[in-house]
Amino acid sequence: MRIYLLSLGAGLLVGVVYSLLGVRSPAPPIVALVGLLGILIGEQAVPMVRQMLRGAPVTVGWFVEHRLPHLCGELPKGTDARADRREPGGRSAG
């Protein structure tokens, strides 16, 4: 139940901001996409600040390892086309 109330509160806050900016709801697609990008970037700011407060450096490597998977989701895995053409036993089908 708590997550629903928090979501409602966040929605109300966005509605107030939209009203102050004079943006109609639902927002035009580009405004909505920029807002979603801001949400994603804002989610990354909290862990980065926590990392810095611990005295640990925030390097590109740290960002790629810890934050990029969350930001982009699971990236698609490539398949080996040669492996798909092999018959059981390791011989080539062609």
Side-chain angles (χ1 to χ4, degrees):
M1 181 69 172
R2 180 176 177 222
I3 192 75
Y4 296 110
L5 292 174
L6 290 172
S7 180
L8 177 63
L12 288 171
L13 180 63
V14 169
V16 168
V17 170
Y18 272 19
S19 178
L20 292 173
L21 294 175
V23 176
R24 293 189 49 180
S25 185
I30 191 70
V31 173
L33 289 175
V34 170
L36 288 173
L37 178 62
I39 289 170
L40 286 173
I41 292 170
E43 282 181 332
Q44 305 316 305
V46 173
M48 287 175 61
V49 169
R50 285 181 182 159
Q51 180 81 355
M52 289 187 295
L53 290 176
R54 277 188 242 138
V58 177
T59 62
V60 172
W62 175 87
F63 187 81
V64 168
E65 182 180 345
H66 296 285
R67 306 311 323 152
L68 196 59
H70 175 75
L71 186 63
C72 298
E74 185 175 330
L75 298 176
K77 304 278 191 253
T79 60
D80 185 357
R82 293 173 294 173
D84 293 341
R85 290 190 298 245
R86 291 187 188 141
E87 293 178 1
R91 291 180 299 191
S92 179

